[in-house]
């Protein structure tokens, strides 16, 4: 009996998934032939953006020739199938090759939609779809200063990230009123835009491009329908996808009104023995543009060919969790409020830049949809609640509030999920599958991935899969390790000890010592924070630069219009008239918006990137230092005037505040740190709302810890009373170093204390009573940290190589002419910030 012959047209992710599924069954033997238009076999398009951060085509490959050959798969590259002969059951390629089939599977995918704009086919106009496209974009980037992405959806933002990685000034042009209009509601889209613009990417919504012509300052000029325009050197079109149905259409298969090959629940087309799967397929008038539904179709088609008629494709969940331009975004279910009777809970933290909206059914018992931007930790829980039709807690708002409380922990952990709960939709892995794998011996994410393939597709289920794994291991009596990520088999506090004991100074040394791979977005910033806290090295040293965020890279807080703040240190708020004059002169020369802050500093805003070294040279020459306003470090020490001037003052709070600020300046920590020093209990410095607050008494100093203002104010706890200056310094050294050692990255002292087992009493035992016998070590580490202090701006100005970083364009000294300001209250503001006031528009030349 001859083998059944299967021809697969298209060797993308879904086509390859079908082949993999088909051949995994040893009971049936097939002869498989697959065709690819591209010059390479299937690769991971979901991870395509990592091509710009160092991954190669080989890294992205899902298979190779040896695997296909070992499994008897014939493959043809760089040859497009152009004709389907259904009568003779044959396919014909562009080169004239003819292949017969018993079953034909069309996995032709989709193609990028390029709007019909005059001038859209010029040399430096690209699409973002294949590795070949990315290679072309890379070459174009070498000859460009400015890049534009047309389209603000998922792929558009990934393309924007590519331009950022290439060092181009980046713009995103979107026709809709907001970014990711399909996945996000108005609030989520607004915050996503704000966070992306904070990274220096300029976003233009409600813009329709009418033509692309030659530019005056750049290669091209994009003219918009509203009369405005934008100049750029390269353009990437990412305005959506269309099903690749040309072959099917010309061959007579039934096609949907708006495109797509019509399929039934078994992925069969209108012609017998012909199947369609993935983005080329239209099911119930719907195209599924994610990889997970394509994988489900591949599994259904393979089962049907094998004779299994029970498995069917009945639609797929389109929920997504992504990181776009470094911003966490998630969308679940119905997000636009069209479900009758649905109600919404919204949490919007403009300070921390977090937006969450939970939509529930009319009776408040079921999840209908959710939007999460900035903090997507609740994604796994909310998705499982919806997919498994589980009841919500009595107060559903706890699911999106910062402190969910005992209610969430008690009723909504992974233990509450049924075994049928789908954990990984890409590979159809359920909670029950993970339980079986753990029972069979899987004890790590690595072995679990090998066994079940969970989290090896899009990767969005990794956190939830790890939770299920840990839960099952605990149920079996195993100790669970809280590894920070796949690259380091250690918890954060263990990494701290490794760095300290082995005196590791760089991320590469850490990888060589105890890690694997290249690192990721979890371990890099975490280890970067630990290294900075322990060794206080120059933040722009070559070994550290890849670990830093935008603010540290440019030693200034990036503002919403792409300019930067300049904040010199003014210890204790005390400043001489001469230095005050210098601040005024600098602010006037560079036309900077100037403000006295609540932390007793002078902040100056509106500096362009190329101006930062010029400004700081003048400030440093006048005796100023960086105020570290851009870093997770000591920010300010606020003080009252104290006993020097105040008739109620008991101690010289200004002098003590200056001593403290000079001692701990430059100290890198998990989050920013603020001090307050009040000369008496009248508390004019508001010390009890600071991370460390000191209040003078007639017997010494009272020390308060772990307070903060902001979105979630917390009154500091009284830690010790009647301290001498010497004891206060010791306790502060110990407290800060213990916090640095044990807190998670981006965890304020207030949250750290709330999560510290034993709370304030345990903290007193460690710091005051030296319960752990580490006080001397903590003090020594603080002394070493202080010894390594340097003004990062002074070091940078003295290094010509580092100054090259402070240019708008890698290959040009041109300034950013796209910035525009207005004058109000005798100062300069970003153009859209002051309304209903007489204004003077300033255009940069």
């Amino acid at each position: 009996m001859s083998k059944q012959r299967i021809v697969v047209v298209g060797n993308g992710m879904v086509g390859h998934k079908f082949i993999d599924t088909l051949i995994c069954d040893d009971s049936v033997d097939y002869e498989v032939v697959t065709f690819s238009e591209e010059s390479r076999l299937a690769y991971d398009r979901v991870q395509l953006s990592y091509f710009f951060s160092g991954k190669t085509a080989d890294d992205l490959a899902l298979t190779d020739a040896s695997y296909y050959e070992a499994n008897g798969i014939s493959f043809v590259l760089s040859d497009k199938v152009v004709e389907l002969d259904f009568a003779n059951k044959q396919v014909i390629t562009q080169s004239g090759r003819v292949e017969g089939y018993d079953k034909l599977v069309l996995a032709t995918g989709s193609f990028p939609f390029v709007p019909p704009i005059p001038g859209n086919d010029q040399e430096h106009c690209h699409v973002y779809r294949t590795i070949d496209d990315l290679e072309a974009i890379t070459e174009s980037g070498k000859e460009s200063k400015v890049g534009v992405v047309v389209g603000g959806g998922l792929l558009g933002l990934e393309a924007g990230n590519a331009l950022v990685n290439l060092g181009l000034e980046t713009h995103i042009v979107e026709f809709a009123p907001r970014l990711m209009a399909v996945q996000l509601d108005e609030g989520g889209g607004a915050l996503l835009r704000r966070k992306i613009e904070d990274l220096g990417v300029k976003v233009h919504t409600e813009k329709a491009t009418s033509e692309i012509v030659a530019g005056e300052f750049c290669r091209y000029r994009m003219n918009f329908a509203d009369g405005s325009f934008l100049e750029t050197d390269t353009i990437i079109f990412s305005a959506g996808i269309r099903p690749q149905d040309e072959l099917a259409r010309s061959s007579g298969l039934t096609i949907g009104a708006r495109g797509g090959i019509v399929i039934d629940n078994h992925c069969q087309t209108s012609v017998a023995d012909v199947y369609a799967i993935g983005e080329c397929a239209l099911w119930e008038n719907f195209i599924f543009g994610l990889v997970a539904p394509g994988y489900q179709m591949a599994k259904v088609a393979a089962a049907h060919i094998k004779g299994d008629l029970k498995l069917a494709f009945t639609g797929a969940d389109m929920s997504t969790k992504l990181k776009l331009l470094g911003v966490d975004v998630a969308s679940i279910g119905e997000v636009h409020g069209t479900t009758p009777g649905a109600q919404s809970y919204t949490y919007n933290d403009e300070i921390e830049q977090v937006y969450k909206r939970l939509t529930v059914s009319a009776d408040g018992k079921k999840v209908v949809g959710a939007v999460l931007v900035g903090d997507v930790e609740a994604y796994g829980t909310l998705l499982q609640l919806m997919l498994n039709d589980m009841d919500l807690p009595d107060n559903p708002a706890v699911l999106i509030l910062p402190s969910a409380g005992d209610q969430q922990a008690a009723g909504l952990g992974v233990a509450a999920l049924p075994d049928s709960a789908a954990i990984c939709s890409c590979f159809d892995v359920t909670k029950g599958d993970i339980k079986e794998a753990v029972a069979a011996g899987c004890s790590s994410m690595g072995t679990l991935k090998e066994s079940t393939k969970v989290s090896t597709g899009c990767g969005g289920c990794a956190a939830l899969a790890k939770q299920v794994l840990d839960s099952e291991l605990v149920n079996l009596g195993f100790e669970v390790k809280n590894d920070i990520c796949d690259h380091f088999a250690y918890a954060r506090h263990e990494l701290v000890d490794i760095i300290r004991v082995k005196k590791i100074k760089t991320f590469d040394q850490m990888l060589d010592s105890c890690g694997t791979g290249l690192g990721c977005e979890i371990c890099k910033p975490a280890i970067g924070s630990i290294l900075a806290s322990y060794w206080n090295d120059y933040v722009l040293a070559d070994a550290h630069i890849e670990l830093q965020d935008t603010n540290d890279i440019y030693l200034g807080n990036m503002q919403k219009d792409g300019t930067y703040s300049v904040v010199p240190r003014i210890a204790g708020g005390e400043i001489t008239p001469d230095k005050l004059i210098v601040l005024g002169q600098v602010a006037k020369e560079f036309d900077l918006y100037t403000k006295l802050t609540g932390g007793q500093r002078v902040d100056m805003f509106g500096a362009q990137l190329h101006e930062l070294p010029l400004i700081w040279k003048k400030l440093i020459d006048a005796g100023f230092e960086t105020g570290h306003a851009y870093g997770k470090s000591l920010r300010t020490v606020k003080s009252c005037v104290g006993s020097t001037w105040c008739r109620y003052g008991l101690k010289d709070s200004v002098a003590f505040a200056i001593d403290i600020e000079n001692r701990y300046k430059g100290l890198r920590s998990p989050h920013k740190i603020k001090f307050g020093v009040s000369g008496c209990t009248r508390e004019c410095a508001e010390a009890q709302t600071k991370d460390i607050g000191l209040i003078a008494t007639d017997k010494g100093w009272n020390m308060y810890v772990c307070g903060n203002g902001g979105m979630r104010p917390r009154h500091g706890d009284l830690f010790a009373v009647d301290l001498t200056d010497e004891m206060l310094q010791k306790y502060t050294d110990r407290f800060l170093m213990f916090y640095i050692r044990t807190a998670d990255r981006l965890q304020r002292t207030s949250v750290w204390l709330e999560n510290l087992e034993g709370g304030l009493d345990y903290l007193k035992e460690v710091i005051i009573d030296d319960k752990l016998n580490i006080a001397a070590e903590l003090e020594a580490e603080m002394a070493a940290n202080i010894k390594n202090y340097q003004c990062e701006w002074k070091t940078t100005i003295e290094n010509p190589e580092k100054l090259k970083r402070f240019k708008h364009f890698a290959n040009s000294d041109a300034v950013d002419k796209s910035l525009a300001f207005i004058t109000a209250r005798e100062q300069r503001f970003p153009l859209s910030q002051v309304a209903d006031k007489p204004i003077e528009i300033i255009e940069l030349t």
Side-chain angles (χ1 to χ4, degrees), residues 340-353:
Q343 308 172 77
S344 293
Y345 297 89
T346 302
Y347 172 76
N348 188 14
D349 182 345
E350 294 188 356
I351 306 300
E352 296 296 331
Q353 296 192 15

Side-chain angles (χ1 to χ4, degrees), residues 341-343 360-366 391-392:
Q343 308 172 77
V360 302
S361 57
D363 60 6
K365 294 183 177 180
K366 305 293 182 182
D391 284 343
L392 287 163

Side-chain angles (χ1 to χ4, degrees), residues 592-613:
L592 303 177
Y593 169 82
T594 308
K595 185 181 187 300
L596 297 175
T597 74
Q600 297 179 163
R601 295 186 308 190
V602 177
D603 286 9
M604 296 176 283
F605 297 88
Q608 291 199 54
L609 185 62
H610 71 282
E611 294 175 328
L612 290 175

Side-chain angles (χ1 to χ4, degrees), residues 147-153 156-157 160-161 164 169-181 188-207 224 226 228-230 324-325 327 559-562 816 818-819 832:
V148 169
V149 177
V150 177
L157 296 181
N161 190 53
V164 170
E169 176 190 322
T170 302
H171 299 256
I172 294 175
V173 173
E174 167 58 41
F175 178 75
R178 62 178 177 272
L179 299 174
M180 288 182 64
L191 179 57
L192 177 62
R193 174 173 185 159
R194 176 183 170 188
K195 291 176 80 72
I196 287 176
E197 289 182 329
D198 285 348
L199 297 172
V201 176
K202 297 174 175 62
V203 178
H204 313 263
T205 51
E206 298 184 274
K207 295 292 183 183
F224 300 128
D226 62 5
S228 61
F229 65 89
L230 178 63
L324 301 168
L325 282 161
V327 181
Q559 304 305 308
K560 64 194 302 179
D561 65 340
D816 186 353
S818 64
L819 294 171
S832 60

Side-chain angles (χ1 to χ4, degrees), residues 53 74 93 157 222 237 298 415 569 603 612 750 824 827 833 844:
S53 56
S74 300
T93 71
L157 296 181
M222 301 172 65
F237 291 101
R569 184 172 300 285
D603 286 9
L612 290 175
S750 57
Q827 292 217 71
Q833 297 310 299
L844 300 183

Side-chain angles (χ1 to χ4, degrees), residues 549 551-552 557 565 567-572 597 599-601 603 626-638 661 664-669 671-675 690-691 746 748:
D549 62 15
N551 287 351
D552 274 318
N557 272 328
S565 64
V567 186
R569 184 172 300 285
I570 303 176
T597 74
Q600 297 179 163
R601 295 186 308 190
D603 286 9
T626 174
H628 282 94
Y630 50 82
K632 298 296 180 281
S633 56
L634 175 68
R635 291 289 183 85
T636 60
V637 179
K638 185 175 181 180
E661 189 154 352
Y664 300 115
K665 61 186 179 184
L667 177 69
R668 293 283 177 159
S669 54
H671 212 298
K672 62 187 176 185
I673 298 172
K674 296 182 179 181
F675 279 67
K690 303 296 188 287
D691 296 277
L746 301 182
R748 290 294 300 269

